[in-house]
Amino acid sequence: MNALDWVTQLMEVVAALAAAPLLVGWVNCCRAWLQNRTAPSVLLPYRGIRKLFHKDAVIAEGASPLFRIAPYIVFGAMVTAAMVIPSMGTRLPFTTAADAIALVGLFATARVFLSLAAMDVGTAFGSLGARREMMVGFLAEPALLIVIFVASLISSTTSLPAIAEALATRTLGVYPSLAFTAVAFMMVLLAENARIPVDNPATHLELTMIHEAMLLEYSARHLALMEWAAALKLFNYTCIGFALFIPWGTSTGDAPLALVAAIPVLGLKLLVAGAVLAVVETVSAKLRVFRAPEFLATAFMLAMLGLLVHVLLGA
Amino acid sequence: MTTGLSSPLAICLALLAAWGVVGLAGMLRPASLRFAGRTLFPLGALCGAALAVVAGLNIAAPPEQIVLLIGLPDLPLHMRLDALSSVFLVLLGATSTGISIFSAGYFRRGQGTLPGLLCLEYHLFLASMGFVLLADDAYGFMLAWETMALSSYFLVTTQHRIPEIRSAGFLYLLIAHVGAISILLAFGVLQGGTWHFTFDSMRTAEMKPAWATAAFLLALFGFGAKAGLVPLHVWLPEAHPAAPSPVSALMSGVMLKTAVYGMLRVTFDLIGTPAWWWGLILLMVGLLTALYGVVYAAAQTDMKRLLAYSSIENIGILFTGMGLAVVYFGVGMPVPGTVALVAVLYHALNHAFMKSLLFLGTGAVLHATGERNLGRLGGLIHRMPWTAWLTLVGALAIAGLPPLNGFVSEWLLLQSFLLAHEVPKPFVNMLLPLGAAVLVLAAALAGYVMVKFFGVIFLGQPREARLKDAHDAGRTERIGLIWLAAGCVLLGLLPTRVLPTLSLVPEQLGLSVGTMATSSWWRLVPLPDRGASYSPMIFLLAVAAVIAITVLAVHYFYHQRIRRSAPWDCGFVRLDARMQDTAEGFGQPIRHIFQPFFTLERELPTPFDAAPRYRVTIGDPLWRALYLPLGRVVQRGADSLAWLQQGRIASYLLYSFVTLLTLLALML
C-alpha cells in the first residue's frame, strides 16, 4: 500500500463525481442524434444540478426526518461504491474493506432508503414508485450477484479489483460463461438505472415511471443529490461492466504512467458505452410494468446459465 | 467428572434455577402487575445478562459435565457445557435480557392470564430453553424440551378467551408434539443398541450407515417441526400473532434456535460423522423454506404474521448453511465447512437479535394503536419516533444491508458457497452453486419485505384518524429496544471479535483444526487464499465520512432555506391517506410473479354493487395438499375406533384386564 494507491483511490472518486453527470449528458446527446433531434449540451446535467442547488427546498408537510436524510445516504452510498470499483487502477486500498458482495449491499442500501423516502410523504405516486423499484430491485440484485459470482469463480476471489486484474491478465480466449453473463449484466444495468425498456428517464407518465415517481416530492438540493446519485449509479454500473467484461487498459501495477494512460482509456470506454446505451434505448420499446419481471427473470436465468456453463465447462 | 460449585456449568445451572425462582416468586402476588413488572422481570433480565457473560467467557474452555442427582431413581440428569451449548446460551441470555427489560414495561392488565402466572410461565420458558441447551442425556433433553413446549403453549394462549388464539395454540401444541415424538425416536435409534441414553454413550455408539441416516431423518423431522421447516411451518404464522409480542420475540428469536441447536448437536456431535449427502437434503429443504417463507412474508397484511414468515425464511437460511457445512465436512473440505458452520452460528445469533427487536417493535405499535393489520397503520414515525428508528435498525439488519449484522452472516455464507464447485462429486459440484442463486434471491426479497413492513407501518400518512393519538414506547420498553438494536449494530461492526470464538465450536466437535482466520481485529478474511475481505468498521467510516463531507459542503456552499408545503396532488385536490399503497398493494407484484406459490381467492364486486367490496384471501396450498387430507385420515381412523369408547366403566375395566393379560403373555 503506497502513495500511488491512494492517489488512484482519490482519482477514481473524483473521476466518478465529475464524469457521472457528463456520462448522462453524453447518453442524452447520442439519443437525440439517433432520434434526429437537436442535441442538448453535454453539460446540461451539470447546469441542472447547479440550478437545483441554488433553489429553496420545498418539503411536503408530513415528511419525516427520514425524507431529508435519505438523499445524503443515497449519495454517500453511491460515492462509496465508486471507491470499490476499479475504473482506472486496480490497486485500491479501500477494497480491503468492501468486496463485490458488499458493493451489491451498498446498492441495496441506497435502493431501500430511496424507496423508504418515497413512501414517507404518503402520496399515491411515491408508494407506487417504491413498490415498483423494490420489484425491479429484488430481481435485478440476485442477477447482478450471480454475474459477479461467475467472474469471481473464474478468478477465485470476490474482491472486485482482483477480479478485474485476473480477467485482464488472462490468456485471451472466449469465456462462454462471460458471454451469457454479459448479456445478463446489460439487462440488469438497463433495469437498475431506470432506462428503456424497464423505465423511461424522460417521461413523467404515471403508468410507466418508476424512478421519477419516487423523486416527485424532492426539490432543490435534495433533488440535486438524488439526480447526482442516479448519474453516479449509471457511472458505477458502467464501470462494473468494464471491470468484468473489458478490463483491459486499467493500471494493474505500480507504474504511474499506466495510471495516466488509464484516464483516456476510461474516457474512450465511456464514450463507446454511452453510445451503445443510447442505441439500445433507441431501438427498444418501453415494456409494460408487468413485463419488467419477465425481462429481469430472463436476466436472472441468463446469469444462472452463465454460472452453469462455467461449472460445466470450467470456462 | 463432576466439578466444584464455582465451575461455569454450576453457575449456569444456578442462573437457570434463579429464573425458575423468579418465576415462582410471581405466584406470591399473582395479581400484582407492579410486583412482576418492577421487580421480577428486571431480575430475570439480570439473570439473562449474567448467563450471557458466564457462557460467553466459557466458549473457549474444554467441555465440562455434571451429574445432577435429581429426577427418577437410577436416572440422574446429566448436564454438559461445551462450546456449542455456550454459544446458544449466550444467544439465550443476551436476547432474553432485552426482551425481559421490554416485558417489564409491556404487560398490562386485562391480558387474560394473571401477571404473576404469566411471569411464572415466562421464566419457566426461559429456564427450560437453558436446560435444553445443557442437557446431556435423552431424558433430560426431552424433559426440558417438553417443558419448553408446554410453557410456551400457555404463553401463546395468554388471551385464552379468544377462540382463534386457542386454536392457534392447539395447532402449535400438536405440531410440537408430533416433532417431539420424532426426536424421541431419533434418540432411540442413536443409542445404537446400548440402551444407554446419555449423550456420551450415543457419541461412542457404533451405528450402521442406514441407522445413522434414519436417526438423522427423524431428527430433521422433529427439529424441523419446531424450527418451522416447510412443510411443517404452518404453526408459526398462527402462533406468533396470537402470542403477546415479547413471547413472539422469545419464540422466534430464541426458541426456533433451540431447534437449530438440536439439529447441530445430533448431526455433528451425536452422530459425529455425517454422510455428505445428508447435506443435500438439508440444502434442499433449507432453500425451499427460505424462498417459501420470504414470498409469503411479502404477501402478508398482518404485521406479526409477516414477521413469522420472515422467521421461516431465516430458518431456511440457517438450514441451508448447515447443509453446506455437512457437505463440506463430509467430503473433507474443513476450511469452507468451518466458514459455513460459523456463518450458521453467527446468523442464529444475529437473527435472535433482529427478529426480537422487530417483534418488540410491533408490540409497541400494538400497544399504541391496538392494531395488527398493516392496512390500518401508517405514519407512526411522527408519533413514535423511538420505536420507529430502533425498528428501522432491525429492519435494515434483517434485510441484509451493510454494515449491520445480517449482512455479515449472509456474506460469510455466500463466501463458503463460492467454493461449492470444488466439491469432488460430479453433478453436485455443478448444482450447488445454483443454491447460492436461490439464497441470493431470498435475501433480495427480504429487502422487499422489510421496506413493506417498515414503510407501511411507520411512513406515509396515518390510515386511521385515531392513529394521531398513538403514544411512543415507555422508558423500560425503550431500553429493551435499545439493547437489541445495539446488539444488531455491534454484531455488525465487530464480527472479527466474535467469529474466531465461534469457530471454536467446529474445532471442539473435532470437525476442523484451528480457529478461523480473520487476519486482524478490523478486517475479516475468512478464506485467506481467496483474498476477499470485509471490514465493517472501515466501511462505515468511509460511508459516514462521505456523508459528513457532503452535508458540510452542501451547507457551506449553499443556503439552507426550507419551505413546507402540501405534497403535490397531481391537480386532484382531495389527496388523502387512502390513496397510498396498502399492504395488499405493496405485495401485489409478489403475488403476481409468484402466483403458483399461492392459492388466491378473490371476491370481486359486480358492476351493479352499490357498496362494492374487494377481498383477496391468500391461502397456503400446503393446507389443502397436505394437512386437510391428513386431518381427514386421522378423523376417519378415530371414527373407526370410536366403538371402543362406550362410556361404561365395566368395558374400560375389561380393556385394562385384556391389556394386562396380553402384556403378561408377552413377558412370559
Side-chain angles (χ1 to χ4, degrees):
Chain A
M1 209 180 285
N2 56 28
L4 188 70
D5 297 349
W6 289 101
V7 171
T8 318
Q9 185 78 75
L10 195 69
M11 265 173 61
E12 300 219 329
V13 177
V14 173
L17 280 170
L22 197 62
L23 178 63
V24 173
W26 168 243
V27 174
N28 287 343
C29 270
C30 291
R31 281 204 333 175
W33 288 329
L34 284 166
Q35 295 162 357
N36 272 337
R37 290 187 281 124
T38 315
S41 160
V42 188
L43 302 177
L44 191 65
Y46 292 107
R47 290 192 202 130
I49 289 172
R50 185 166 166 275
K51 178 187 74 184
L52 285 172
F53 266 123
H54 280 290
K55 289 197 166 193
D56 276 12
V58 182
I59 289 183
E61 291 151 2
S64 73
L66 186 73
F67 187 77
R68 290 172 63 183
I69 296 171
Y72 295 98
I73 293 181
V74 174
F75 184 77
M78 286 306 159
V79 176
T80 316
M83 291 159 72
V84 185
I85 303 164
S87 56
M88 284 180 277
T90 55
R91 298 289 174 89
L92 300 173
F94 182 65
T95 49
T96 52
D99 66 345
I101 302 175
L103 176 69
V104 177
L106 259 178
F107 286 138
T109 311
R111 174 167 52 240
V112 164
F113 271 96
L114 184 58
S115 306
L116 288 178
M119 294 179 83
D120 187 52
V121 179
T123 59
F125 268 133
S127 42
L128 175 138
R131 182 218 301 178
R132 289 178 177 173
E133 169 80 3
M134 291 313 289
M135 176 185 82
V136 169
F138 90 76
L139 285 163
E141 188 185 316
L144 176 63
L145 261 179
I146 297 166
V147 168
I148 289 172
F149 283 173
V150 174
S152 71
L153 284 179
I154 292 174
S155 50
S156 57
T157 173
T158 56
S159 163
L160 204 50
I163 292 175
E165 219 172 293
L167 292 178
T169 52
R170 69 179 188 229
T171 49
L172 204 62
V174 182
Y175 277 69
S177 54
L178 281 184
F180 281 113
T181 48
V183 180
F185 179 79
M186 187 75 194
M187 294 166 88
V188 169
L189 185 148
L190 290 172
E192 280 277 44
N193 288 289
R195 297 273 146 187
I196 293 173
V198 174
D199 193 2
N200 189 346
T203 66
H204 283 262
L205 262 171
E206 64 267 34
L207 288 178
T208 55
M209 64 184 177
I210 301 175
H211 186 74
E212 292 295 320
M214 290 193 292
L215 300 187
L216 220 48
E217 285 302 321
Y218 274 113
S219 60
R221 58 174 182 272
H222 302 123
L223 183 59
L225 284 175
M226 285 294 201
E227 299 268 4
W228 203 346
L232 273 167
K233 191 176 179 186
L234 180 64
F235 181 88
N236 284 338
Y237 266 87
T238 318
C239 287
I240 295 175
F242 296 156
L244 296 184
F245 305 111
I246 30 175
W248 300 284
T250 44
S251 137
T252 52
D254 286 331
L257 268 181
L259 193 60
V260 175
I263 300 172
V265 173
L266 177 68
L268 196 67
K269 283 183 196 170
L270 283 174
L271 276 181
V272 175
V276 170
L277 186 61
V279 171
V280 171
E281 279 204 276
T282 309
V283 298
S284 51
K286 168 85 178 66
L287 292 171
R288 281 168 59 216
V289 167
F290 273 109
R291 301 297 297 274
E294 287 170 27
F295 179 80
L296 284 162
T298 313
F300 186 64
M301 282 302 149
L302 275 173
M304 294 264 280
L305 208 56
L307 188 64
L308 202 59
V309 166
H310 174 74
V311 286
L312 272 176
L313 305 179
Chain B
M1 56 189 146
T2 33
T3 33
L5 282 176
S6 59
S7 77
L9 176 54
I11 299 174
C12 285
L13 288 171
L15 286 167
L16 296 183
W19 263 339
V21 172
V22 168
L24 283 173
M27 294 313 285
L28 292 176
R29 293 163 68 186
S32 167
L33 197 62
R34 271 178 74 92
F35 181 53
R38 293 274 174 86
T39 315
L40 296 180
F41 276 103
L43 276 177
L46 267 183
C47 292
L51 183 67
V53 171
V54 172
L57 294 174
N58 187 59
I59 295 177
E64 185 193 344
Q65 283 173 310
I66 283 184
V67 180
L68 291 181
L69 294 172
I70 49 174
L72 296 171
D74 283 345
L75 278 179
L77 292 176
H78 297 74
M79 296 284 153
R80 185 168 183 266
L81 184 67
D82 64 356
L84 184 61
S85 309
S86 300
V87 167
F88 279 86
L89 279 174
V90 171
L91 186 156
L92 167 68
T95 322
S96 72
T97 305
I99 300 173
S100 293
I101 298 174
F102 184 90
S103 306
Y106 182 80
F107 289 112
R108 310 278 156 95
R109 214 161 285 287
Q111 296 263 353
T113 308
L114 284 175
L117 190 56
L118 198 68
C119 174
L120 174 64
E121 292 163 4
Y122 179 92
H123 288 98
L124 208 58
F125 183 38
L126 287 179
S128 60
M129 287 194 283
F131 279 113
V132 164
L133 301 177
L134 288 175
D136 196 37
D137 58 54
Y139 298 111
F141 189 91
M142 291 314 293
L143 194 68
W145 189 260
E146 285 297 286
T147 314
M148 182 175 88
L150 285 177
S151 53
S152 55
Y153 164 75
F154 286 116
L155 284 169
V156 167
T157 54
T158 296
Q159 288 171 300
H160 48 80
R161 290 183 213 291
I162 302 170
E164 286 84 24
I165 289 186
R166 283 203 302 275
S167 68
F170 177 73
L171 180 68
Y172 166 51
L173 199 63
L174 183 73
I175 295 191
H177 278 91
V178 172
I181 293 170
S182 182
I183 297 171
L184 196 60
L185 289 175
F187 285 139
V189 176
L190 278 171
Q191 49 84 21
T194 60
W195 299 103
H196 288 293
F197 286 90
T198 59
F199 285 176
D200 266 341
S201 64
M202 292 185 194
R203 281 183 195 106
T204 50
E206 290 289 322
M207 266 192 299
K208 288 202 181 84
W211 282 113
T213 306
F216 167 77
L217 291 177
L218 284 168
L220 178 61
F221 183 88
F223 290 117
K226 192 56 130 192
L229 286 182
V230 172
L232 297 165
H233 65 287
V234 285
W235 64 271
L236 262 142
E238 303 298 326
H240 280 76
S245 291
V247 176
S248 314
L250 267 187
M251 286 173 68
S252 220
V254 186
M255 191 188 75
L256 300 187
K257 308 304 177 316
T258 61
V260 173
Y261 162 82
M263 201 62 214
L264 288 171
R265 175 67 76 197
V266 168
T267 314
F268 290 110
D269 190 15
L270 301 188
I271 297 180
T273 47
W276 69 271
W277 57 270
W278 298 352
L280 301 184
I281 300 175
L282 285 171
L283 267 170
M284 272 188 276
V285 175
L287 289 172
L288 175 70
T289 305
L291 200 58
Y292 201 91
V294 76
V295 166
Y296 269 81
Q300 296 309 309
T301 53
D302 177 314
M303 59 181 177
K304 289 180 81 176
R305 279 179 84 95
L306 182 146
L307 291 182
Y309 274 113
S310 157
S311 289
I312 296 174
E313 180 224 343
N314 281 284
I315 286 295
I317 293 177
L318 289 171
F319 274 76
T320 305
M322 220 189 284
L324 205 56
V326 169
V327 171
Y328 281 138
F329 286 126
V331 300
M333 294 170 70
V335 176
T338 306
V339 175
L341 195 58
V342 167
V344 169
L345 296 173
Y346 203 54
H347 195 67
L349 198 58
N350 290 336
H351 183 246
F353 274 93
M354 49 208 189
K355 192 47 71 61
S356 309
L357 176 58
L358 291 179
F359 264 119
L360 297 186
T362 61
V365 170
L366 197 58
H367 258 193
T369 63
E371 198 55 70
R372 281 203 330 250
N373 187 341
L374 291 172
R376 302 211 182 99
L377 293 165
L380 289 176
I381 195 170
H382 301 285
R383 309 296 314 168
M384 314 177 68
W386 281 91
T387 313
W389 289 99
L390 291 170
T391 309
L392 181 64
V393 173
L396 295 178
I398 210 163
L401 299 180
L404 293 168
N405 57 354
F407 177 76
V408 182
S409 36
E410 282 175 13
W411 186 82
L412 277 177
L413 201 53
L414 287 176
Q415 289 292 349
S416 74
F417 241 127
L418 283 176
L419 288 172
H421 67 289
E422 288 174 15
V423 170
K425 303 276 173 193
F427 290 117
V428 174
N429 60 356
M430 294 168 197
L431 293 178
L432 274 184
L434 302 187
V438 181
L439 190 69
V440 167
L441 182 64
L445 271 164
Y448 188 101
V449 171
M450 281 304 131
V451 167
K452 169 177 167 169
F453 172 80
F454 188 81
V456 174
I457 296 177
F458 292 106
L459 302 178
Q461 303 172 40
R463 291 180 175 78
E464 299 271 312
R466 63 198 168 78
L467 295 185
K468 298 221 160 61
D469 310 323
H471 57 86
D472 206 345
R475 199 189 308 147
T476 35
E477 290 170 294
R478 263 179 231 172
I479 297 173
L481 290 173
I482 290 172
W483 174 278
L484 294 169
C488 288
V489 173
L490 288 178
L491 285 172
L493 290 182
L494 296 168
T496 45
R497 307 263 76 182
V498 187
L499 292 173
T501 318
L502 290 184
S503 70
L504 292 170
V505 173
E507 196 190 351
Q508 205 177 81
L509 293 173
L511 297 165
S512 61
V513 183
T515 53
M516 198 172 85
T518 45
S519 177
S520 59
W521 69 269
W522 56 272
R523 187 164 158 234
L524 184 59
V525 191
L527 303 157
D529 54 329
R530 290 174 61 83
S533 62
Y534 171 60
S535 166
M537 296 283 252
I538 308 287
F539 182 86
L540 178 67
L541 273 180
V543 177
V546 170
I547 291 175
I549 291 170
T550 314
V551 171
L552 287 178
V554 167
H555 284 193
Y556 180 76
F557 287 114
Y558 298 100
H559 61 83
Q560 300 178 41
R561 283 194 290 277
I562 278 185
R563 248 179 330 121
R564 291 269 176 180
S565 100
W568 189 53
D569 52 16
C570 321
F572 185 80
V573 192
R574 282 175 45 239
L575 193 68
D576 68 24
R578 301 193 58 179
M579 291 174 192
Q580 309 170 80
D581 241 0
T582 55
E584 287 90 347
F586 211 88
Q588 196 264 352
I590 302 287
R591 290 206 306 273
H592 190 88
I593 297 169
F594 293 95
Q595 217 158 24
F597 271 75
F598 302 107
T599 45
L600 283 179
E601 281 173 29
R602 282 203 187 82
E603 279 177 41
L604 300 177
T606 64
F608 307 106
D609 269 346
R613 282 178 66 84
Y614 299 83
R615 187 198 294 270
V616 177
T617 326
I618 299 162
D620 196 328
L622 278 173
W623 268 109
R624 204 170 289 167
L626 193 65
Y627 283 86
L628 294 182
L630 203 66
R632 275 199 295 274
V633 168
V634 171
Q635 183 76 47
R636 217 169 293 152
D639 283 345
S640 59
L641 286 176
W643 61 269
L644 281 171
Q645 187 188 18
Q646 304 196 336
R648 266 179 303 179
I649 194 118
S651 42
Y652 292 141
L653 285 173
L654 182 70
Y655 296 157
S656 317
F657 184 67
V658 172
T659 311
L660 278 174
L661 269 188
T662 322
L663 281 177
L664 270 176
L666 281 177
M667 297 286 270
L668 299 171

